[in-house]
Amino acid sequence: MTPAAAARLKSLPAPGRPSAADPAPPPAARGARGSVGRRPSTSGPEPHRGDGRYPIAWLHLTAPGHGAVPTAHSWCACGHDRSAVGHRQVLALIEAHAAHRENCPLRHRTESRTAA
């Protein structure tokens, strides 16, 4: 391609519009007066404050369509970690997960409970 043909293919900036090489204007000062003395709303509960509960045991089931093999994975923060493949094994794992929830040492700390 000749230099004259290449020059015709270049696009020129439109008049009145800044080109990509022009520096951007400096950002406006933020927060100078608008946010001075403002307090957060106290009408509702604190959104980040929890009720002390958190998950410790999970059961993940995959049940694809008809004719496919289901799988399951059960794990707990105490170290309990089991997985199963197939209908019978998945059903047994669901029952084992429920039994583990009843017997998990993280969920039932008898020494820290007070008598009612």
Side-chain angles (χ1 to χ4, degrees):
M1 186 178 284
T2 65
R8 280 183 286 162
L9 294 177
K10 288 187 177 179
S11 61
L12 299 174
R17 295 184 70 195
S19 70
D22 291 340
R30 295 205 268 180
R33 293 285 302 156
S35 62
V36 175
R38 299 184 96 185
R39 293 185 186 169
S41 172
T42 58
S43 62
E46 174 69 29
H48 300 292
R49 188 175 296 167
D51 59 359
R53 298 183 301 167
Y54 55 93
I56 45 176
W58 296 266
L59 178 63
H60 182 251
L61 302 170
T62 58
H66 182 72
V69 179
T71 62
H73 185 199
S74 168
W75 69 100
C76 181
C78 73
H80 174 85
D81 191 359
R82 306 286 187 273
S83 60
V85 178
H87 295 282
R88 281 188 233 131
Q89 290 85 5
V90 167
L91 292 174
L93 183 64
I94 292 170
E95 291 177 13
H97 180 79
H100 177 75
R101 287 185 61 194
E102 298 298 321
N103 300 319
C104 179
L106 294 179
R107 288 186 53 139
H108 301 287
R109 294 186 178 177
T110 56
E111 64 274 1
S112 64
R113 288 187 179 175
T114 59

